[in-house]
């Protein structure tokens, strides 16, 4: 299917902006709406906007997102904002007669101790990881909303679950960011300031799966064109790395020469969350950007766009 007019909800974020780049390069017309035009937490505003704009399809990349510290510290914001925008966008899409929607979730929807690699069927088979259960519950609700509107009204709404993402337009604020941008920033600032050590949170043993956001954008549009099922679908890199391994990789890419110190008083979060992405890979999507290459790309973007230094935890040389 080739959609002429696609609303990318959340077009300013890391995922949304990657989708805009990819769709526009393909020749699709992308509709965008800033928060000043439509605040997705306000039902009436969303309903009016969707009835006026009537896109052919919606890619739902809008979400309140954050790393382990932000999720653990602001549970009300994460559950309320995400539930509100999901209810508003998905219901209003139906009310406006938009028949195609791709909802984006997260691998944190799966149980903390799900068998690895995690298949789509593992959803709701066990308790969640506590540091981000508020966000996870909201994302599970988003999947269920898509399924409910498909079941009751025949709407062709689907859900795609990405693993940990990184790339251009990431959030580099150390309090709210995910691990990849945090490490890029910490090693860069550590190099600039000549610090003898850089602090990495947790024990370094958790395993995470990282996908460059440009690969995800291709995967999401691939699903829009080729996937139309009740069940959500995983979209991951298919490989994992420990936080220690990632720290060493980022350290090399940045050219930092000091030591890495682990702060075990900070939470590790879930021990492992490698998804089984064989369903989407069998359909024909494969990641193209390796982790080393991707980290270099993300660091290049950081250097070009985010140069204001911050005060780091860590000793001076
Ligand atoms: P998660 O995948 O939902 O746990 O989200 P994060 O990307 O925030 O964290 C992944 C892992 O990286 C966790 O084990 C964190 O403790 C660890 N980590 C190490 N250093 C940092 C850091 O500076 N920031 C963040 N956000 N995580 C870090």
């Amino acid at each position: 299917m080739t959609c002429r007019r696609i609303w990318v909800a959340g077009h300013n974020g890391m995922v949304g902006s990657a989708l805009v780049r990819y769709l526009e390069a393909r020749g699709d017309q992308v509709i965008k709406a800033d928060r000043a035009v439509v605040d997705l937490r306000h039902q009436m505003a969303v309903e009016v906007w969707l009835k006026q704009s009537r896109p052919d399809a919606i890619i739902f990349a809008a979400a309140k997102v954050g790393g382990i510290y932000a999720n653990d510290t602001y549970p009300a914001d994460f559950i309320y904002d995400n539930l509100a925008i999901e209810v508003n966008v998905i219901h209003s899409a139906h009310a406006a007669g938009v028949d195609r929607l791709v909802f984006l979730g997260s691998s944190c929807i799966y149980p903390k101790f799900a068998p690895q690699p995690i298949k789509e069927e593992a959803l709701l088979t066990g308790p969640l990881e506590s540091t981000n259960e508020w966000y996870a519950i909201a994302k599970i609700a988003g999947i269920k909303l898509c399924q409910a509107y498909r079941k009751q009204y025949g709407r062709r709404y689907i859900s795609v679950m990405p693993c940990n993402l990184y790339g251009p337009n990431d959030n580099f604020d150390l309090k709210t960011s995910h691990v990849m941008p945090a490490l890029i920033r910490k090693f860069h600032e550590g190099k600039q300031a000549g610090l003898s050590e850089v602090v990495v949170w947790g024990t370094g043993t958790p395993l995470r799966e990282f996908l460059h956001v440009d690969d995800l954008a291709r995967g999401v549009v691939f699903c829009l064109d080729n996937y139309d099922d009740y069940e959500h679908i995983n979209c991951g890199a298919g490989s994992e790395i420990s936080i220690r391994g990632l720290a060493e990789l980022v350290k090399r890419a940045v050219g930092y020469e000091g030591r890495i110190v682990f702060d075990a008083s900070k939470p590790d979060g879930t021990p492992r969350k490698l998804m089984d992405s064989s369903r989407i890979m069998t359909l024909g999507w494969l990641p193209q950007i390796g982790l080393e290459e991707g980290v270099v790309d993300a660091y290049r973007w950081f250097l070009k766009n985010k140069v204001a230094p911050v005060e780091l935890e860590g000793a001076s040389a």
Side-chain angles (χ1 to χ4, degrees):
M1 169 181 132
T2 304
C3 294
R4 279 187 31 247
R5 297 173 69 249
I6 301 173
W7 176 31
V8 175
H11 68 279
N12 284 320
M14 175 173 69
V15 173
S17 57
L19 281 159
V20 171
R21 283 195 301 278
Y22 182 63
L23 289 166
E24 288 184 340
R26 272 186 10 146
D28 285 306
Q29 186 188 337
V30 179
I31 306 175
K32 302 162 202 162
D34 286 323
R35 188 174 295 189
V37 176
V38 51
D39 186 330
L40 300 181
R41 292 167 301 183
H42 297 160
Q43 184 182 1
M44 192 53 76
V46 181
E47 217 166 303
V48 169
W49 151 257
L50 266 168
K51 284 196 169 139
Q52 280 167 358
S53 60
R54 290 291 303 269
D56 296 318
I58 298 170
I59 301 183
F60 191 163
K64 179 167 183 64
V65 295
I68 194 163
Y69 175 80
N71 268 277
D72 209 22
T73 313
Y74 309 109
D77 293 354
F78 277 86
I79 195 162
Y80 173 78
D81 282 7
N82 285 303
L83 282 175
I85 65 173
E86 288 164 13
V87 162
N88 294 341
V89 171
I90 295 170
H91 176 74
S92 303
H94 165 64
V98 180
D99 193 44
R100 198 74 174 122
L101 180 147
V102 184
F103 173 68
L104 284 169
S106 158
S107 58
C108 71
I109 59 160
Y110 292 115
K112 175 166 186 167
F113 297 113
Q116 311 277 323
I118 312 171
K119 288 188 185 305
E120 285 86 353
E121 294 76 33
L123 183 66
L124 294 174
T125 56
L128 299 164
E129 153 62 28
S130 62
T131 50
N132 55 20
E133 66 178 319
W134 319 98
Y135 178 75
I137 288 283
K139 287 294 181 185
I140 293 170
I143 297 173
K144 290 293 160 193
L145 278 161
C146 290
Q147 291 178 341
Y149 282 84
R150 175 181 288 270
K151 193 168 172 196
Q152 187 174 342
Y153 297 110
R155 290 295 183 204
R156 298 162 59 236
Y157 296 171
I158 61 168
S159 300
V160 177
M161 296 307 115
C163 61
N164 287 38
L165 301 169
Y166 69 96
N169 280 317
D170 210 339
N171 167 19
F172 288 88
D173 178 323
L174 294 180
K175 282 223 160 64
T176 55
S177 75
H178 285 100
V179 62
M180 177 76 87
L183 294 184
I184 290 176
R185 173 157 223 155
K186 285 180 175 180
F187 286 120
H188 173 77
E189 309 285 2
K191 181 172 108 173
Q192 299 287 91
L195 297 184
S196 63
E197 58 186 46
V198 157
V199 177
V200 175
W201 295 352
T203 60
T205 57
L207 295 160
R208 292 291 184 275
E209 180 185 12
F210 294 95
L211 183 70
H212 192 284
V213 72
D214 287 345
D215 273 338
L216 189 263
R218 281 191 309 101
V220 170
V221 177
F222 176 84
C223 289
L224 175 66
D225 292 342
N226 299 289
Y227 188 75
D228 187 13
D229 216 334
Y230 180 84
E231 194 74 53
H232 61 282
I233 188 165
N234 291 342
C235 184
S239 58
E240 59 187 346
I241 186 169
S242 68
I243 296 303
R244 178 187 292 275
L246 180 74
E248 280 159 6
L249 196 159
V250 176
K251 176 183 155 172
R252 270 199 310 280
V254 169
Y256 172 71
E257 287 176 352
R259 283 184 305 132
I260 298 171
V261 175
F262 291 94
D263 176 2
S265 72
K266 295 282 196 306
D268 269 342
T270 201
R272 196 179 173 200
K273 47 176 172 177
L274 175 65
M275 293 194 303
D276 180 333
S277 298
S278 52
R279 189 172 290 172
I280 189 172
M281 292 187 187
T282 306
L283 287 173
W285 170 88
L286 285 173
Q288 293 176 352
I289 305 170
L291 189 56
E292 295 211 9
E293 180 195 344
V295 168
V296 169
D297 177 67
Y299 183 44
R300 201 182 301 127
W301 189 91
F302 171 82
L303 287 177
K304 247 174 94 181
N305 295 278
K306 308 256 171 177
V307 282
V310 292
E311 199 155 306
L312 286 181
E313 316 155 71
S316 297

